[in-house]
Amino acid sequence: MRLLFLAALRPHTGNAVTARRVRDHLEAAGHVCILKDAFDFNSPSEIADLLRAEALDAALALHLYRGGRLLQGHGIPFGIIFGGTDLNEDVNQGEKNQVMGKVLEEARFAVAFTESMKEMARLQWNTESKTDFIGRHLHRSWLSTFLPFHLKTSAGIPHAQGKIYVQSQGIATAPNTAFSWHTFLQRAEIKQSTDNLHVFLLICGLRPVKDPLYLVDAFAEWHQEEPNVYMVIIGPEVDPVFTREVKAKVKRSTGVRLIPEMPQDELHAVVKNSFALVNSSVSEGMSAAILEAMDLEVPVLARDIPGNAAVVKHEVTGLLFSDPQEFVQLAKRLVRDPALEKDIVANGRRYVREHHSWQVERDTYQRLVRTLEGSPEDLG
């Protein structure tokens, strides 16, 4: 098939990385997948022109509102991948909520990264929990696990009955072997000896929902007590106004550094060399940075929100904090308790290997996209 795939493609953001990985999965199955930035289109009519010009058969969108609303009404089958802010933020806005419900009704399938995300969608749009966690059951035959759960949406059945499938993010890391940690520290103006240096790394696009300033004051105070601890924030300048606020705040804060976005392989190398990965977001679908840190055997400290708690089990695969003061307490504990660090790293790596297989993710998306072939009556 020839597929259109709409996603937010800001460089080096989680959505862009996920979209390109899913595109690769679909192209490996022989499909032509044209990946486009949803922000490049202002109306469905522009999508209609693209569908005709490229002779596209079906479509996929990452983010129920941002991409999904552009796919309505074209008469082509499409699927949806929930992003995170669509379920955590946009559902609270009446008009967006209604639009997303209609998109979900028209979609042939929807993918949630976690069971909790699926449940949120079910509660929002009156869907029934009749779906299967495909990734958990790939050892069974395709016919026995997938097709029986794909209910066709008939008149009078609300929105997304039987359409939502859970597939966690597949993780594969590849740090740049030529990366120089020493050069990176110089660039970050960290002159501390590496012998006893503890870098806490926060990776995020600079926008309010990621809340990169949440821990800055508490961390700066800790740095004054212990000059060998640093927080480094790395990410693209997504929101220009907010970026200015972040830069100004970081400039005034001791022990905190801000670094521009980096290529993925170099970013993985920075994670690998850091003491811990930090996530302070207000909202997350499923943080790839957290999972990549686990895969790279780096401990994780994450804000206790549903998206993070779905992958970080406190004191098992990472540490969860509820406020900046608790973060500092837990960070100090991690620094001073090598046994805890060792256990968290081992458990995190095991968790990623068991539940975030790149191959399982590939199999799932290749199978789901088959439901976009032919008419709905052919599926059941």
Side-chain angles (χ1 to χ4, degrees):
M1 281 189 296
R2 291 178 58 81
L3 300 164
L4 170 64
F5 189 3
L6 291 177
L9 298 179
R10 296 186 187 99
H12 312 304
T13 59
N15 274 346
V17 171
T18 298
R20 290 189 171 90
R21 191 176 65 251
V22 172
R23 177 195 61 187
D24 291 346
H25 294 333
L26 300 181
E27 290 184 338
H31 302 291
V32 174
C33 189
I34 298 175
L35 183 59
K36 294 288 187 179
D37 193 329
F39 286 109
D40 289 342
F41 300 91
N42 295 315
S43 68
S45 63
E46 295 177 40
I47 295 295
D49 293 340
L50 178 63
L51 293 173
R52 284 191 295 270
E54 296 287 349
L56 296 165
D57 305 304
L60 187 65
L62 174 55
H63 200 283
L64 186 58
Y65 181 77
R66 197 178 296 140
R69 65 188 176 88
L70 295 170
L71 297 180
Q72 285 183 280
H74 299 298
I76 65 165
F78 65 85
I80 292 293
I81 304 169
F82 295 116
T85 54
D86 42 9
L87 290 178
N88 295 326
E89 304 288 330
D90 294 339
V91 291
N92 299 318
Q93 301 180 40
E95 184 178 346
K96 287 185 177 181
N97 190 307
Q98 289 183 355
V99 169
M100 291 191 293
K102 292 177 181 177
V103 172
L104 204 50
E105 187 172 9
E106 191 173 336
R108 287 202 181 171
F109 68 80
V111 176
F113 296 140
T114 66
E115 291 284 357
S116 62
M117 289 176 71
K118 183 181 81 172
E119 181 65 9
M120 288 173 66
R122 187 186 72 80
L123 293 173
Q124 278 292 331
W125 295 292
N126 194 25
T127 67
E128 292 187 4
S129 183
K130 293 185 179 180
T131 58
D132 194 23
F133 189 164
I134 297 172
R136 188 187 298 158
H137 298 286
L138 280 174
H139 61 281
R140 301 180 186 175
S141 71
W142 168 242
L143 289 175
S144 67
T145 59
F146 184 77
L147 290 181
F149 291 94
H150 186 94
L151 273 65
K152 293 171 287 185
T153 303
S154 59
I157 298 179
H159 297 11
Q161 184 172 352
K163 292 181 179 180
I164 304 176
Y165 301 86
V166 177
Q167 173 56 57
S168 56
Q169 297 236 50
I171 296 300
T173 57
N176 186 330
T177 56
F179 177 81
S180 169
W181 181 237
H182 178 70
T183 301
F184 174 80
L185 294 177
Q186 285 184 319
R187 178 186 178 192
E189 298 183 351
I190 296 175
K191 300 177 175 63
Q192 179 76 28
S193 167
T194 57
D195 294 340
N196 194 34
L197 176 65
H198 294 89
V199 172
F200 290 78
L201 182 66
L202 196 161
I203 300 171
C204 68
L206 301 185
R207 52 188 177 128
V209 72
K210 299 301 181 181
D211 209 1
L213 298 179
Y214 183 62
L215 302 172
V216 166
D217 286 338
F219 201 97
E221 186 176 331
W222 181 26
H223 174 79
Q224 289 178 334
E225 299 172 11
E226 301 182 41
N228 62 323
V229 297
Y230 282 84
M231 171 177 281
V232 177
I233 303 169
I234 299 180
E237 300 180 1
V238 177
D239 182 323
V241 175
F242 185 67
T243 294
R244 288 196 293 272
E245 180 184 342
V246 171
K247 287 181 175 179
K249 179 72 172 180
V250 168
K251 191 173 182 179
R252 299 191 303 268
S253 304
T254 59
V256 183
R257 302 289 189 267
L258 180 63
I259 302 293
E261 59 194 295
M262 303 173 66
Q264 191 75 0
D265 61 338
E266 292 185 15
L267 193 58
H268 286 166
V270 174
V271 174
K272 184 69 176 173
N273 282 278
S274 297
F275 176 73
L277 188 284
V278 178
N279 181 293
S280 59
S281 297
V282 174
S283 168
E284 286 284 0
M286 178 174 285
S287 168
I290 286 178
L291 298 171
E292 288 166 353
M294 290 180 179
D295 190 55
L296 292 165
E297 301 182 315
V298 173
V300 171
L301 294 98
R303 192 168 180 172
D304 192 358
I305 57 173
N308 289 343
V311 296
V312 178
K313 185 176 181 182
H314 186 59
E315 297 185 337
V316 179
T317 58
L319 298 172
L320 294 170
F321 58 87
S322 298
D323 55 56
Q325 291 69 39
E326 187 178 17
F327 164 78
V328 172
Q329 292 170 4
L330 292 171
K332 287 180 177 179
R333 181 181 166 197
L334 192 62
V335 168
R336 293 162 188 168
D337 190 347
L340 175 64
E341 179 193 0
K342 183 178 179 181
D343 287 346
I344 284 176
V345 163
N347 292 334
R349 184 172 174 82
R350 187 182 307 114
Y351 167 77
V352 168
R353 294 300 166 90
E354 291 177 358
H355 299 283
H356 295 275
S357 162
W358 176 90
Q359 186 61 53
V360 168
E361 181 188 56
R362 169 163 287 198
D363 292 343
T364 296
Y365 279 105
Q366 289 180 353
R367 288 169 173 169
L368 279 171
V369 83
R370 293 179 198 168
T371 68
L372 302 181
E373 296 177 325
S375 66
E377 288 71 21
D378 295 334
L379 299 175

